[in-house]
Amino acid sequence: MNKAIRKAAVIGSGIMGSGIAAQLANVGIPCLLLDIVPRRLTDEEAAKGLTLEHPPVRNRLAASAIAKLAKTKPAPLYDPSFAERITPGNLEDHLSQLAQVDWIIEVVVENLEVKKGLLEKIESVWKPGIIVSSNTSGISINAMAAERSDEFKKHFMGTHFFNPPRYMKLLEIIPGERTDPELVGFMKGFSEKVLGKGVVLAKDTPNFIANRIGTYGLLVTLKEMTENGFTVEEVDAVTGPAMGRPKSATFRTLDLVGLDTFVHVANNVYDNVSDEKEKAIFDVPAIMKSMVEKGWLGEKSGQGFYLKKKGPGGSEILALDLTTMEYAPQSKPKSASIEAAKLAKGAKEKTKALLAAKDRYSDLAWNILKQVLVYSAEKVGEIADSVQEIDEAMKWGFSWELGPFETWDAIGLVRSVERMEAEGLTVPAWVKDWIAAGHASFYKQEEGKLHSVQINTGQFKEIEFAPEIVNLRSLKEQNMVIKGNSGASLIDIGDGVACLEFHSPNNAIGEDILSMITQSLEEVRKNYKGMVIANQGRNFCVGANIMLLLMEAQDEEWDEINDIIHLFQSTMYKVKRFEKPVVAAPHRMCLGGGVEACMPADQVVASAETYYGLVEVGVGLIPAGGGCKELALRASQHASVEGVDLQPFINHVFQTVGTATVSSSGHDAKRLGYLRSTDRVVVNQDFAIHEAKQSVLGLADTDYKPIPEEKIRVVGSEGKAVLQLGAIEMKRGGYISDHDLLIANKLAHVLAGGDVPAGSLVTEQYMLDLEREAFLSLCGEPKTQQRMHHMLTKGKALRN
């Protein structure tokens, strides 16, 4: 379809509307944000002498929503400046402007009549070709458009974003009866490639896919809890990470969503299904209705199932006792099943361990899980056409690590169905027929390809992924590993490009990864056009192996530490001077040594959700894998190109590294200077390796030459004094400790280029030597060793 979305309009500037507008702005699409005209002046407006006819008043709702974006946490915008791409307006003065956009999204109150009235207004100015969609969590798409023209209906569909729109991957697209199938296909591709979403096609049924299954699961959990006397804390201990679910589990999730919102969503199913058994499940428990009546709505009202209470010793989270309806200090449930789940690795093993222990918590998990699995199976064909769409909806929309059918495979399909039936549960006929046909799972890997059950044919069918998705796991199963060790593997990803994948614990960089980088460069030199550095772990890399470093420091093995750092530096230097292109594709957490592994690459293709930073000061050290050297070099280059004073650039680097600042997005990493102007940001993380590969091929097809050696102009001893003075002022103000000051002075010495005269030109190796010397000296400090130990045991920085 020859179509493009260059400009959009969002109607409704509440949390969801402004969040959707922000995501459009994030990806470079200018957006008109409209809301109703206020009927009353605020005291501030009245004091300014404004009237209801003044534009600032008439546009107030949308304008204030845009202003709030910069203050909202987590940040809806990749970069605060992107708010400039959103224009505020109102539905009376700017309705006609809807005819000038390519996509109109209504995000008003969840009320059918209100939405129908708004669609009537939209059609009065609408031009054929403009896509119109509703961001509804469950109202019928067909009912909304029932009174609209046939041409309008062809261009109308549901686009259900999940909150917050920037961070939640799921987008449910719900075609209406008359929606043009080509338009649905276009929107799916656009949403994946441009908006970075994981798209599932849902049927026009109450609550669509994720909210239908998710709400059912939460209500089943409440039912099991009240019938068997479990506490809020006990349920959350079972239904969180122990079951492959988020830490928010059941009741923290309800508090975050808002109990009133949850009740509304549940009622939507209750009011729109005819099956009495299903209706009974979606009848919200009286205790929750009572909490809503009291205004105990969760985070938005300050209390729900949990209450944050401030006291003299700090804040404390209290849990609601449902028998007394009073808040009390939380208890931490302990049992064999919960402990077994904690020790297991991965969602599959955790769930199996939880169910295998046979105690009351194990029984709770099974009683919830079995009902959710059967309900999901009952809804295949009704709410979605495939098991895959239901699984993806739950993973992307509710952050489950495994979807219902993946979970069923993990715990053993045949065995679990036998148990369900023995306990009187009715398993859908298609599941029993599937097992009777000799199948023991809903998914299977065959020749490196993933297949899933198709219930309409009773056969496995290969799952087709977008060509822009490179699946490293699948490639490894197809024997595309060129070489590897315990820390990393080199994988052939096609077209003459190899991918270096880290897979050590937490992808922490140690000697095994450094060795594989060197081996990979030799292999690529002989047989490939270039190399991508990427992986598909939870995080790209959390840094260097701190545990190994601490052990060496405690044993005073200074030569060993020197050798490790020298190996790191020399390996990164090889990458930078390599005669074939290297492109890094970091995602999510990329910290310390992970950043230093990306810096020597010809280009970085970062995921938009990349949290990127040199954080070594948090463990009492400074970057020493080339990070300080690279940032000093970039500062020198910027000052030289712009013909200005170098000191402000170095001051910025000193502050960024000295405060262990981590970017809030890939775009923010550019603002901070961690990424270069030539580096790229990809919105959909699933496409990042493909995009990095294309960059390698693009560089290889030119007259590629490695990055040349370049002298670095430094601020020297005079500039160092400026940096150290700033640190001293921080110490005097009580912002940093004595040990922080020591680290800052070491960092200043390195970034300034040591004690040479200002304006001196030094080599990269000279700067690397300064890094290594400072790093070694800090390793010997007891307080640095305390910081490393605290990070390893507590997972957070110690300020000593």
Side-chain angles (χ1 to χ4, degrees):
M1 177 173 277
N2 185 21
K3 196 165 187 64
I5 293 177
R6 301 180 185 86
K7 187 175 182 181
V10 175
I11 303 175
S13 64
I15 292 172
M16 280 303 297
S18 61
I20 292 169
Q23 186 60 13
L24 290 165
N26 282 336
V27 301
I29 297 176
C31 180
L32 182 65
L33 182 62
L34 304 183
D35 212 316
I36 60 173
V37 174
R39 299 300 175 216
R40 294 181 182 178
L41 293 172
T42 64
D43 291 342
E44 185 180 357
E45 288 167 341
K48 290 180 180 178
L50 297 175
T51 71
L52 291 173
E53 299 307 312
H54 281 90
V57 176
R58 295 176 71 80
N59 298 338
R60 183 215 307 152
L61 295 179
S64 62
I66 296 168
K68 286 177 185 175
L69 292 174
K71 303 171 186 176
T72 302
K73 300 294 180 185
L77 293 164
Y78 294 151
D79 186 297
S81 67
F82 292 174
E84 296 170 5
R85 298 170 180 170
I86 310 173
T87 303
N90 67 76
L91 279 168
E92 293 180 18
D93 303 329
H94 305 106
L95 185 69
S96 63
Q97 292 185 22
L98 296 180
Q100 301 166 18
V101 305
D102 303 300
W103 182 19
I104 302 167
I105 315 165
E106 75 80 5
V107 198
V108 298
V109 63
E110 286 286 88
N111 179 289
L112 177 59
E113 294 307 315
V114 171
K115 289 181 181 289
K116 287 172 69 175
L118 178 58
L119 292 182
E120 183 179 5
K121 283 186 178 180
I122 291 171
E123 189 169 13
S124 71
V125 297
W126 176 80
K127 291 181 179 178
I130 299 173
I131 300 164
V132 183
S133 69
S134 170
N135 180 72
T136 174
S137 59
I139 295 176
S140 170
I141 300 304
N142 290 310
M144 272 188 237
E147 297 166 19
R148 307 278 52 83
S149 68
D150 286 346
E151 188 63 24
F152 187 92
K153 289 176 183 176
K154 287 180 184 178
H155 293 79
F156 181 65
M157 66 187 76
T159 49
H160 180 209
F161 290 80
F162 276 63
N163 190 36
R166 169 184 163 182
Y167 299 94
M168 295 304 292
K169 185 172 181 176
L170 180 62
L171 174 64
E172 293 177 324
I173 291 182
I174 311 99
E177 293 172 352
R178 300 287 184 86
T179 310
D180 182 348
E182 282 193 37
L183 208 56
V184 173
F186 165 77
M187 284 302 293
K188 183 177 187 296
F190 166 82
S191 300
E192 290 170 341
K193 295 173 185 176
V194 180
L195 295 181
K197 294 299 173 188
V199 176
V200 296
L201 298 182
K203 294 178 181 284
D204 190 17
T205 56
N207 290 8
F208 312 129
I209 302 175
N211 277 344
R212 184 73 168 268
I213 303 294
T215 305
Y216 178 90
L218 287 166
L219 288 166
V220 162
T221 302
L222 282 165
K223 179 173 177 289
E224 290 296 323
M225 172 191 184
T226 53
E227 288 181 358
N228 295 293
F230 288 98
T231 66
V232 165
E233 305 98 303
E234 286 176 322
V235 170
D236 275 359
V238 170
T239 59
M243 284 179 69
R245 308 282 173 81
K247 289 182 180 178
S248 56
T250 296
F251 293 108
R252 289 190 189 279
T253 296
L254 284 167
D255 278 357
L256 287 168
V257 168
L259 272 67
D260 54 338
T261 301
F262 177 81
V263 168
H264 174 80
V265 172
N267 285 343
N268 190 53
V269 180
Y270 181 86
D271 293 337
N272 289 286
V273 296
S274 56
D275 181 88
E276 290 302 321
K277 182 182 175 185
E278 185 174 12
K279 209 175 183 72
I281 288 291
F282 283 91
D283 187 5
V284 176
I287 198 163
M288 187 177 284
K289 291 177 182 175
S290 172
M291 290 174 70
V292 171
E293 289 170 4
K294 291 180 179 180
W296 297 4
L297 307 179
E299 294 264 319
K300 68 175 84 173
S301 67
Q303 69 184 103
F305 287 101
Y306 291 97
L307 170 68
K308 189 173 184 178
K309 186 177 181 181
K310 291 183 179 179
S315 296
E316 181 184 12
I317 305 290
L318 305 178
L320 182 64
D321 183 334
L322 297 185
T323 58
T324 64
M325 294 305 288
E326 294 182 353
Y327 293 94
Q330 294 183 66
S331 60
K332 289 191 176 181
K334 292 184 178 180
S335 75
S337 60
I338 293 174
E339 292 306 309
K342 283 181 181 177
L343 294 172
K345 292 188 176 180
K348 290 182 180 180
E349 296 305 317
K350 285 181 180 293
T351 305
K352 286 162 67 176
L354 180 66
L355 296 177
K358 304 300 181 186
D359 57 26
R360 66 190 297 263
Y361 297 120
S362 178
D363 289 343
L364 173 64
W366 168 250
N367 288 334
I368 294 168
L369 196 57
K370 69 180 182 182
Q371 295 180 73
V372 172
L373 299 184
V374 168
Y375 186 73
S376 299
E378 289 173 349
K379 296 303 156 191
V380 179
E382 179 184 334
I383 64 174
D385 283 330
S386 70
V387 299
Q388 180 196 357
E389 284 171 314
I390 291 177
D391 278 348
E392 288 177 338
M394 298 317 298
K395 289 189 291 183
W396 296 338
F398 276 73
S399 299
W400 291 9
E401 290 188 50
L402 299 172
F405 298 97
E406 291 172 325
T407 301
W408 218 331
D409 281 359
I411 65 175
L413 174 60
V414 176
R415 186 170 58 252
S416 61
V417 166
E418 289 173 352
R419 182 178 174 186
M420 290 171 185
E421 292 192 304
E423 294 173 358
L425 210 57
T426 302
V427 176
W430 76 264
V431 175
K432 293 195 287 184
D433 290 344
W434 181 248
I435 293 171
H439 301 294
S441 66
F442 295 114
Y443 293 91
K444 73 170 182 178
Q445 286 278 350
E446 189 171 275
E447 297 179 356
K449 305 290 186 180
L450 183 62
H451 298 69
S452 67
V453 56
Q454 301 295 300
I455 66 168
N456 57 335
T457 65
Q459 301 291 324
F460 273 116
K461 181 182 178 183
E462 181 184 335
I463 296 173
E464 295 181 7
F465 295 98
E468 295 88 354
I469 294 177
V470 176
N471 189 314
L472 296 181
R473 178 182 174 186
S474 177
L475 289 170
K476 287 190 283 187
E477 289 172 350
Q478 295 173 60
N479 298 316
M480 300 304 287
V481 175
I482 303 161
K483 56 176 55 186
N485 62 21
S486 59
S489 295
L490 187 68
I491 304 165
D492 188 332
I493 58 174
D495 299 317
V497 180
C499 177
L500 177 66
E501 176 201 36
F502 299 167
H503 48 64
S504 62
N506 294 317
N507 290 343
I509 296 176
E511 290 186 62
D512 49 2
I513 286 180
L514 296 174
S515 172
M516 186 49 57
I517 292 174
T518 298
Q519 293 179 53
S520 297
L521 294 176
E522 289 301 316
E523 180 68 29
V524 171
R525 178 179 288 116
K526 296 174 187 174
N527 300 310
Y528 292 85
K529 294 179 181 179
M531 183 171 77
V532 170
I533 301 175
N535 64 72
Q536 291 171 328
R538 181 175 179 79
N539 296 303
F540 177 80
C541 178
V542 297
N545 189 330
I546 300 175
M547 181 176 290
L548 174 63
L549 187 62
L550 177 59
M551 289 169 60
E552 298 286 11
Q554 289 175 333
D555 292 341
E556 299 185 356
E557 296 286 355
W558 310 122
D559 288 341
E560 289 289 332
I561 296 175
N562 183 69
D563 289 345
I564 291 169
I565 301 307
H566 188 271
L567 176 63
F568 198 164
Q569 291 180 340
S570 62
T571 303
M572 296 306 106
Y573 189 83
K574 288 177 187 174
V575 173
K576 186 170 184 179
R577 302 287 173 248
F578 190 53
E579 61 266 35
K580 293 187 177 181
V582 176
V583 176
H587 65 278
R588 293 189 61 82
M589 301 303 295
C590 180
L591 305 175
V595 173
E596 292 174 309
C598 294
M599 281 181 156
D602 295 283
Q603 188 178 54
V604 176
V605 178
S607 164
E609 299 302 339
T610 298
Y611 315 121
Y612 204 75
L614 295 170
V615 296
E616 285 81 353
V617 297
V619 289
L621 298 167
I622 68 160
C628 291
K629 179 262 294 183
E630 283 296 316
L631 290 180
L633 172 59
R634 292 177 190 181
S636 172
Q637 291 169 335
H638 288 321
S640 176
V641 168
E642 297 177 24
V644 295
D645 182 16
L646 174 61
Q647 188 71 48
F649 292 94
I650 290 296
N651 291 351
H652 173 74
V653 172
F654 180 67
Q655 180 178 9
T656 302
V657 178
T659 55
T661 301
V662 176
S663 74
S664 61
S665 69
H667 291 87
D668 191 45
K670 281 196 171 189
R671 181 187 66 81
L672 292 169
Y674 286 134
L675 294 182
R676 301 158 291 194
S677 60
T678 53
D679 294 329
R680 295 169 52 210
V681 178
V682 175
V683 179
N684 193 326
Q685 184 180 311
D686 294 341
F687 297 168
I689 296 180
H690 169 81
E691 292 297 324
K693 174 183 168 181
Q694 297 309 116
S695 291
V696 167
L697 292 171
L699 289 166
D701 288 342
T702 63
D703 184 19
Y704 176 79
K705 289 182 174 57
I707 299 171
E709 177 82 50
E710 184 177 348
K711 290 288 184 72
I712 303 170
R713 185 160 64 92
V714 296
V715 295
S717 55
E718 293 178 20
K720 180 172 79 169
V722 173
L723 300 179
Q724 290 177 329
L725 180 61
I728 289 168
E729 289 302 315
M730 292 285 286
K731 174 66 177 62
R732 285 175 178 166
Y735 297 107
I736 63 175
S737 67
D738 288 335
H739 192 53
D740 290 325
L741 182 61
L742 172 66
I743 298 165
N745 285 333
K746 297 279 187 183
L747 179 63
H749 181 74
V750 174
L751 291 176
D755 293 319
V756 298
S760 295
L761 293 173
V762 301
T763 65
E764 290 188 43
Q765 187 57 55
Y766 169 83
M767 293 294 286
L768 290 172
D769 291 341
L770 290 181
E771 280 186 2
R772 194 168 68 256
E773 290 165 7
F775 189 93
L776 275 166
S777 67
L778 287 169
C779 281
E781 294 289 334
K783 287 189 176 181
T784 285
Q785 293 178 21
Q786 289 171 14
R787 289 191 180 192
M788 287 192 279
H789 182 265
H790 194 269
M791 179 61 73
L792 287 168
T793 55
K794 304 293 185 181
K796 56 185 178 181
L798 171 68
R799 302 306 301 269
N800 57 352

